[in-house]
C-alpha cells in the first residue's frame, strides 16, 4: 500500500470517531480559554490512539501537544476548537433559531478544524507505522484563535521551537491550497472610571465613564481617515455602565481590535488609539486604564508548501454532493441578504464541487489569525476546504447551523486526507523542507519574530 491508500483506509475506519468528536465539540461551543471539555476530548482521543499527550502546554490550561514518532523532522499539525460568543444556533435549520439566547456557537467551524486536524494526525500516524517512516508528528491543540491569540502565547512559551514545518486548514466555501497574507492585530481593553450621581438632581457632580467611551469611539472614527486604507479599527462596548439612565455611569469599558498588514503598523496605530483614549478621559473628566488583551502576527505564506498541498489536493479531487445536501445548502443561501445574494451570483455552484487553482503570487485576505504567529517561526502550509454553502458569511448563524451537516463532515475528512498526505511528503522529502525553509527566510527578509505580547500579558478567558 502507498501512503494515499493508507490514508484513505485509515479515514474510512476512523470516520465515525472523527465525526463524533467534531459534533461533540460543536455541542460544547466553548469560547476562548474556556474550551475545557473540547480540549479534554481531543487530547483523550489522541491519547487513546497512541499519542503521548502533554496537557497544560505552555502553562495554558486548554492547550496541549500530542506527539507520535521520534527524531527529525518534526511536523506540526495545528488544531483549534474554540467557538464564538453570541452565535448560538440549532444545527441543520434554515432559519435563525438560537439554542440558548446570547449563547455561543461555532461560527467559524473550529469544531471541524480541530477534528480535520485530528483526522490528519491519525492517518499520518498510520503511514508512519505501516511504511516505517522516521520523524515526529505533533498535534497542537490550540485554544482561543478567536480574539485570544492562543498560538501567540504558545509561541512565546517556545512550543514550536523544534518544529520544521507546520500544516493546518480552515473550513471555507471553496477548495484550494491557501497562499495568502492576512492582517496582524492587537486587541486592547479601555476601562473608564468616573463618578456616579443622580442624573437629574446633581448631574454637575457626576463624571460619566460612558461619555469617555463614546468620546473615544468618536475620536477613533475620525482616526480612520488618517490610517492606511488596509488597516481596520473595530470596537465593542463590553460594559456600558448599567441600565439606569438616571444614574451617571461610574464605569464603562470598550474593547478595540486594531488590524493592519504589518505588526509594526499595528503597534503605531495602537499608540494613536491610546492617545485618543487619554484625550477622551480628559474631555469627560474621567480616568482610563489600558489593558492589553490579545494579538496575532500577520500571516507569512509559503509557496513551496502551498504548491505541494495543491498537488495532494488534486490527487484526491473535489467532493461531490447529494441532491439533498444541495437542497439544504440552497435553503441556507435563501436566507442571505440581497447584497450577499448579488455577490453570490458570481460564485457558481451551491456547494463547491471543483478545485480553485493555486494562486502562485500570494493573495491578501482581510482577516486575521494567530496561525500568523506560527508562520513567523516556521513555514506553514494550509488548505481551505468547502464545508458550507457558497457565500456563507463566517461568524454567522448560517455557518453555525451547517457545522454538523453531512457535507461539512465530508469537507473535514477531505482536509484531513490532504494534510495527512502533506505530512508524509514532508517526512519523506528533505528537499521539500529545505525549500520551504529557504523561502521562509527570504519572506522574512531579515526580520525576526517580535512578539506583540507585552511581558505581563496572560491568556484571558472571555468572561474575565
Amino acid at each position: 500500500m502507498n501512503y494515499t491508500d493508507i490514508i484513505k483506509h485509515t479515514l474510512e475506519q476512523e470516520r465515525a470517531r472523527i465525526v463524533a468528536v467534531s459534533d461533540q465539540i460543536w455541542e460544547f461551543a466553548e469560547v476562548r480559554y474556556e474550551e475545557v471539555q473540547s480540549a479534554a476530548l481531543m487530547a483523550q482521543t489522541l491519547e487513546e490512539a497512541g499519542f503521548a499527550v502533554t496537557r497544560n502546554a505552555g502553562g495554558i490550561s486548554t492547550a496541549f501537544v500530542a506527539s507520535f514518532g521520534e527524531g527529525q523532522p518534526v511536523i506540526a499539525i495545528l488544531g483549534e476548537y474554540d467557538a464564538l460568543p453570541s452565535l448560538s444556533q440549532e444545527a441543520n435549520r434554515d432559519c435563525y433559531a438560537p439554542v440558548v439566547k446570547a449563547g455561543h456557537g461555532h461560527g467559524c467551524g473550529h469544531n471541524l478544524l480541530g477534528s480535520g486536524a485530528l483526522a490528519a494526525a491519525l492517518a499520518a500516524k498510520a503511514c508512519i507505522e505501516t511504511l516505517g517512516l522516521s520523524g515526529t508528528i505533533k498535534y497542537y491543540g490550540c485554544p482561543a484563535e478567536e480574539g485570544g491569540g492562543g498560538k501567540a502565547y504558545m509561541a512565546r512559551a517556545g512550543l514550536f521551537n523544534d518544529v520544521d514545518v507546520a500544516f493546518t486548514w480552515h473550513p471555507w466555501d471553496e477548495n484550494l491550497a491557501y497562499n495568502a497574507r492576512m492582517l496582524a492585530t492587537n486587541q486592547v481593553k479601555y476601562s473608564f472610571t468616573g463618578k456616579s450621581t443622580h442624573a437629574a438632581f446633581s448631574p454637575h457632580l457626576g463624571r460619566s465613564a460612558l461619555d469617555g467611551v463614546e468620546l473615544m469611539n468618536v475620536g477613533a472614527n475620525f482616526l480612520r481617515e488618517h490610517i492606511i486604507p488596509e488597516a481596520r479599527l473595530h470596537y465593542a462596548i463590553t460594559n456600558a455602565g448599567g441600565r439606569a439612565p438616571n444614574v451617571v455611569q461610574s464605569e464603562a469599558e470598550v474593547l478595540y481590535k486594531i488590524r493592519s498588514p504589518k505588526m509594526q503598523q499595528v503597534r503605531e496605530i495602537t499608540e494613536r488609539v491610546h492617545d485618543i483614549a487619554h484625550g477622551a478621559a480628559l474631555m469627560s473628566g474621567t480616568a482610563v486604564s489600558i489593558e492589553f488583551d490579545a494579538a496575532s502576527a500577520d500571516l507569512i505564506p509559503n509557496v513551496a508548501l502551498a504548491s505541494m498541498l495543491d498537488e495532494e489536493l488534486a490527487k484526491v479531487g473535489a467532493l461531490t454532493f447529494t441532491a439533498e445536501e444541495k437542497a439544504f445548502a440552497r435553503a441556507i443561501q435563501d436566507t442571505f441578504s440581497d447584497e450577499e445574494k448579488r455577490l453570490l451570483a458570481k460564485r457558481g455552484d451551491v456547494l463547491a464541487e471543483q478545485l480553485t487553482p493555486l494562486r502562485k503570487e500570494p493573495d491578501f485576505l482581510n482577516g486575521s489569525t494567530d496561525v500568523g504567529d506560527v508562520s513567523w517561526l516556521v513555514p506553514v502550509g494550509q488548505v481551505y476546504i468547502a464545508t458550507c454553502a457558497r457565500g456563507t458569511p463566517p461568524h454567522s448563524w448560517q455557518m453555525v447551523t451547517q457545522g454538523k451537516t453531512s457535507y461539512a463532515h465530508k469537507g473535514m475528512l477531505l482536509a484531513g486526507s490532504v494534510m495527512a498526505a502533506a505530512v508524509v511528503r514532508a517526512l519523506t522529502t528533505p528537499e521539500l523542507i529545505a525549500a520551504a525553509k529557504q523561502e521562509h527566510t527570504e519572506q522574512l527578509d531579515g526580520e525576526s519574530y517580535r512578539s506583540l505580547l507585552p511581558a505581563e500579558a496572560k491568556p484571558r478567558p472571555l468572561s474575565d
Side-chain angles (χ1 to χ4, degrees):
M1 294 176 72
N2 60 29
Y3 69 91
T4 56
D5 293 330
I6 296 167
I7 292 168
K8 182 179 179 180
H9 176 70
T10 302
L11 294 187
E12 286 173 351
Q13 284 190 317
E14 297 286 357
R15 183 186 189 282
R17 173 158 57 168
I18 297 164
V19 167
V21 168
S22 177
D23 287 355
Q24 185 62 73
I25 291 174
W26 186 97
E27 295 284 349
F28 290 149
E30 297 167 304
V31 294
R32 63 180 234 187
Y33 299 119
E34 298 175 12
E35 316 95 326
V36 175
Q37 298 175 94
S38 302
L41 174 61
M42 193 70 75
Q44 180 183 347
T45 303
L46 284 156
E47 205 163 46
E48 290 172 352
F51 285 74
V53 177
T54 300
R55 293 171 172 80
N56 195 38
I60 304 169
S61 62
T62 55
F64 70 88
V65 180
S67 302
F68 182 82
E70 58 184 18
Q72 298 294 323
V74 177
I75 312 300
I77 302 170
L78 309 179
E80 299 166 12
Y81 31 73
D82 59 320
L84 283 154
S86 303
L87 277 179
S88 177
Q89 167 65 27
E90 293 181 13
N92 303 310
R93 293 287 301 275
D94 60 0
C95 62
Y96 178 55
V99 177
V100 178
K101 185 178 180 180
H104 309 318
H106 275 282
C108 214
H110 291 181
N111 62 303
L112 299 164
L113 196 165
S115 301
L118 168 66
L122 297 178
K125 173 180 177 287
C127 289
I128 289 174
E129 292 175 318
T130 305
L131 301 175
L133 305 180
S134 60
T136 305
I137 55 174
K138 290 186 175 184
Y139 180 107
Y140 284 79
C142 304
E145 192 276 338
E146 296 291 357
K151 295 182 192 67
Y153 287 101
M154 296 172 79
R156 191 172 71 179
L159 298 183
F160 302 103
N161 287 356
D162 64 345
V163 172
D164 289 289
V165 296
F167 297 105
T168 191
W169 78 290
H170 205 286
W172 207 239
D173 68 346
E174 59 181 321
N175 307 298
L176 72 156
Y178 187 76
N179 184 31
R181 298 181 179 275
M182 295 178 75
L183 299 168
T185 180
N186 261 354
Q187 193 158 286
V188 184
K189 183 173 77 170
Y190 299 89
S191 301
F192 288 79
T193 304
K195 181 182 179 183
S196 62
T197 187
H198 194 292
F201 286 156
S202 53
H204 57 291
L205 299 179
R207 298 294 183 266
S208 172
L210 183 57
D211 285 355
V213 165
E214 291 188 298
L215 286 166
M216 179 182 173
N217 293 342
V218 170
N221 286 339
F222 281 103
L223 176 64
R224 285 185 174 87
E225 183 182 359
H226 304 291
I227 57 178
I228 60 174
E230 298 84 0
R232 300 286 187 271
L233 294 180
H234 322 291
Y235 64 82
I237 298 175
T238 54
N239 177 7
R243 298 184 178 184
N246 61 341
V247 177
V248 173
Q249 295 88 346
S250 63
E251 62 178 42
E253 295 176 352
V254 62
L255 185 65
Y256 265 77
K257 183 178 283 289
I258 299 128
R259 307 189 205 235
S260 200
K262 296 292 182 181
M263 292 190 290
Q264 185 56 38
Q265 295 166 339
V266 170
R267 291 190 183 96
E268 292 167 358
I269 296 170
T270 300
E271 289 303 316
R272 296 173 73 182
V273 175
H274 289 351
D275 288 343
I276 289 170
H278 290 302
L282 285 171
M283 287 188 287
S284 58
T286 60
V288 64
S289 64
I290 300 172
E291 185 178 0
F292 177 88
D293 185 60
S296 299
D298 49 303
L299 181 66
I300 307 297
N302 194 277
V303 179
L305 295 182
S307 298
M308 181 271 291
L309 283 162
D310 185 60
E311 293 172 7
E312 293 301 328
L313 181 56
K315 289 178 185 177
V316 182
L319 297 166
T320 58
F321 302 100
T322 66
E324 291 77 13
E325 289 170 333
K326 292 178 182 179
F328 182 69
R330 194 169 289 108
I332 293 296
Q333 290 179 336
D334 288 341
T335 70
F336 295 170
S337 68
D338 290 341
E339 184 178 2
E340 288 167 336
K341 288 176 181 176
R342 283 195 295 273
L343 294 172
L344 183 62
K346 306 174 184 178
R347 301 294 302 277
D349 46 5
V350 65
L351 287 166
E353 291 186 304
Q354 70 284 326
L355 306 181
T356 300
L358 175 68
R359 303 176 182 98
K360 289 288 187 179
E361 287 296 320
D363 202 355
F364 202 97
L365 185 66
N366 283 318
S368 303
T369 175
D370 60 8
V371 175
D373 292 84
V374 182
S375 76
W376 274 79
L377 300 174
V378 301
V380 176
Q382 299 189 69
V383 288
Y384 276 34
I385 299 296
T387 59
C388 60
R390 284 281 200 182
T392 301
H395 298 199
S396 67
W397 71 261
Q398 290 97 331
M399 183 68 79
V400 181
T401 202
Q402 295 175 85
K404 293 173 72 176
T405 59
S406 58
Y407 54 77
H409 295 152
K410 285 181 179 179
M412 171 184 70
L413 292 167
L414 172 59
S417 175
V418 174
M419 286 193 295
V423 170
V424 174
R425 290 279 297 273
L427 289 172
T428 58
T429 319
E431 56 269 28
L432 172 65
I433 292 179
K437 287 185 174 181
Q438 177 61 33
E439 181 187 339
H440 185 254
T441 300
E442 293 170 358
Q443 289 271 29
L444 295 182
D445 193 26
E447 292 187 69
S448 61
Y449 176 71
R450 300 180 303 277
S451 176
L452 299 180
L453 307 177
E456 68 277 10
K458 297 186 183 301
R460 288 164 27 98
L462 191 69
S463 56
D464 278 11

